[in-house]
Amino acid sequence: MKQSQLFSKTRREAPKDEVAKNAQLLIKAGFIHKEMAGVYSFLPLGLRTLNKIIGIIREEMNAIGGQEIQMTALQDKKLWEASGRWDDAVVNNWFKTKLNNGSETGLAFTHEEPLTNLMKDHIRSYKDLPQAIYQFQTKFRNEERAKSGIMRGREFLMKDLYSFNVDEKSHNEFYERAKQAYIKIFDRVGLGNETYVTFASGGSFSKYSHEFQTLTEAGEDTIYVHEGKRIAINKEVLNDEVLKDLGILRRDLKEKKAVETGNIFSLGTKFSDALGLVFKDAEGKSKSVIMGCYGIGLPRLLGTIAEIWSDDKGLVWPESVSPFAIHLIGLFDEAGTVKKAANELYDKLTKKGVEVLYDDRDMRAGEKFSDSDLIGIPKRYVISEKTLADQSVEVKDRRTGKEEMVKMGSL
Ligand code: ATP
Ligand code: MG
């Protein structure tokens, strides 16, 4: 993409009411636009990054047998009444609205109820199981606080997968595979070192759920980390019983700030019982399906990457999620020689399938460099009269700041 054609502009200041570093940086770099508190739009650079994250998650979900669907945001009140979650005293962050005929509908904050209902049309016998169904879909949550930028939105995309199994044993096996897939996802997006599988409240169906907590001062959670075992315990459940269950000592734990970037849950038969999702076993007996749910908030993940992978100059994307692989910067001369060479290099790279953002604008070098630092593409190629004299390009690594001259022919 030619930067002269990119409609989004960088800016020096983020909106005054934006207090979160992730949103400040992403707004300044032209990745997102703030619509209102807790509500953000994605611009071309931001959407490219979001789609990279989606691509990684999709690969890992497909690898454990996930099948992708797309459900609706508008929800049937009846289904939520069946599970007892329509009540505002039970779920306090609903967005509800009225249809023209006066009846009510809700904007989904999660999808257990409608998916359980949907699966009733497709699951008859044990032969139809197991299943793992997922989507990338918008959730609406009327969050009380929206001070964490895109890490806590009132409208946000979530990857949510739901598993359906015949018994506890096969559920547990799938749950473990999903956990491993999550570990891979966090590794691949560049958060492997900072992310801990964290024991958290399991609700009423299992003793614990597992949160994926990523260490950052921007996080709203407090966790207790066991560095040796690479696990953590959420403050909410830290007690003698958990320590005993995990075979660890209180003194080996360190208190840290973290953000819940993912959460996997065993649901048991709570939703299948409430909505009547049953199957016939090999003896023809009717049984409730065992379910699990597995969520990752996409903007939260992206915002966490921005918090961790940034410095005083701007964003520093890991290669795997960067909007482009290379930021090509032309420092043009009067004669047009540099522009011609830069255009040619851009064409060659894009023909090879390399994703290049090409700064072809007529601007001062300093402005181009500070924009480039702000946007944070991992590799920068600078082409100028000086580098051309050597038939070279200056290659700079955004993270280490290391620069080297590389001959055009060997790029
Ligand atoms: P929190 O405790 O931070 O409010 P939660 O436990 O309510 O989150 P879940 O219902 O477990 O969230 O949702 C699954 C995942 O969706 C979370 O692990 C997180 O990554 C993401 N998520 C939850 N709420 C938001 C939000 N408001 N904005 C962005 N992502 C979110
Ligand atoms: Mg959670």
Side-chain angles (χ1 to χ4, degrees), residues 196-257:
Y196 284 81
V197 174
T198 302
F199 289 78
S201 157
S204 45
F205 336 107
S206 66
K207 200 160 179 189
Y208 304 111
S209 79
H210 293 93
E211 291 174 343
F212 289 76
Q213 291 275 1
T214 307
L215 302 186
T216 164
E217 282 304 311
E220 295 178 19
D221 290 6
T222 301
I223 62 167
Y224 291 85
V225 168
H226 192 292
E227 277 163 3
K229 294 199 172 186
R230 294 275 326 153
I231 56 172
I233 302 171
N234 193 309
K235 186 178 185 175
E236 290 170 359
V237 300
L238 180 70
N239 57 38
D240 290 342
E241 195 187 336
V242 186
L243 293 170
K244 199 163 146 254
D245 284 352
L246 303 181
I248 56 185
L249 300 172
R250 176 64 186 86
R251 65 157 190 265
D252 293 334
L253 297 174
K254 279 194 193 135
E255 187 181 295
K256 302 270 185 186
K257 287 299 254 186

Side-chain angles (χ1 to χ4, degrees), residues 50-213:
L50 193 68
N51 281 333
K52 291 276 165 74
I53 293 173
I54 288 175
I56 290 170
I57 297 177
R58 181 177 281 133
E59 277 178 22
E60 297 301 339
M61 293 301 101
N62 290 345
I64 57 170
Q67 293 180 45
E68 187 172 350
I69 63 167
Q70 175 100 78
M71 296 188 73
T72 63
L74 287 180
Q75 294 300 325
D76 186 349
K77 172 181 169 182
K78 269 201 320 286
L79 302 179
W80 295 89
E81 281 174 336
S83 69
R85 291 210 287 183
W86 183 256
D87 192 343
D88 290 328
V90 178
V91 173
N92 64 5
N93 60 10
W94 265 114
F95 280 106
K96 294 176 181 173
T97 185
K98 281 205 168 54
L99 301 180
N100 273 342
N101 65 13
S103 63
E104 279 182 302
T105 178
L107 295 167
F109 64 93
T110 181
H111 277 82
E112 280 86 358
E113 282 83 346
L115 182 58
T116 307
N117 180 61
L118 184 158
M119 293 306 275
K120 280 162 66 181
D121 287 352
H122 304 279
I123 292 176
R124 297 271 135 76
S125 93
Y126 68 97
K127 290 179 192 155
D128 302 322
L129 295 165
Q131 295 295 347
I133 315 293
Y134 75 97
Q135 61 177 347
F136 297 95
Q137 210 267 359
T138 304
K139 307 289 184 236
F140 296 88
R141 294 187 182 184
N142 203 344
E143 302 277 3
E144 222 164 285
R145 295 159 299 154
K147 291 201 160 56
S148 295
I150 64 167
M151 291 161 76
R152 184 177 292 286
R154 295 196 163 104
E155 171 182 341
F156 61 96
L157 264 188
M158 192 197 284
K159 185 286 296 175
D160 43 332
L161 181 142
Y162 304 86
S163 62
F164 303 86
N165 285 84
V166 292
D167 56 20
E168 203 72 41
K169 183 172 170 284
S170 61
H171 164 76
N172 289 342
E173 279 164 17
F174 180 82
Y175 187 91
E176 190 50 39
R177 287 176 67 203
K179 196 200 288 170
Q180 296 308 320
Y182 267 50
I183 291 171
K184 277 195 203 147
I185 290 167
F186 287 97
D187 271 342
R188 289 182 63 185
V189 302
L191 297 177
N193 286 337
E194 295 82 3
T195 303
Y196 284 81
V197 174
T198 302
F199 289 78
S201 157
S204 45
F205 336 107
S206 66
K207 200 160 179 189
Y208 304 111
S209 79
H210 293 93
E211 291 174 343
F212 289 76
Q213 291 275 1

Side-chain angles (χ1 to χ4, degrees), residues 269-296:
T269 58
K270 176 179 158 113
F271 296 99
S272 45
D273 284 343
L275 290 142
L277 177 62
V278 293
F279 67 97
K280 291 248 185 310
D281 71 8
E283 279 83 50
K285 242 177 55 198
S286 184
K287 285 187 174 158
S288 291
V289 175
I290 309 278
M291 291 174 55
C293 68
Y294 312 79
I296 297 185

Side-chain angles (χ1 to χ4, degrees), residues 316-368:
V316 187
W317 295 108
E319 263 169 51
S320 59
V321 298
S322 177
F324 292 92
I326 290 168
H327 201 173
L328 173 63
I329 295 178
L331 304 182
F332 302 143
D333 57 342
E334 291 283 319
T337 325
V338 179
K339 192 162 206 162
K340 187 164 165 285
N343 284 347
E344 278 172 20
L345 181 57
Y346 173 69
D347 287 342
K348 266 192 198 158
L349 288 167
T350 41
K351 277 208 188 87
K352 291 244 181 234
V354 182
E355 294 175 308
V356 184
L357 179 64
Y358 170 27
D359 194 345
D360 61 335
R361 300 172 301 172
D362 289 314
M363 275 168 56
R364 287 188 304 110
E367 282 177 273
K368 289 192 173 192

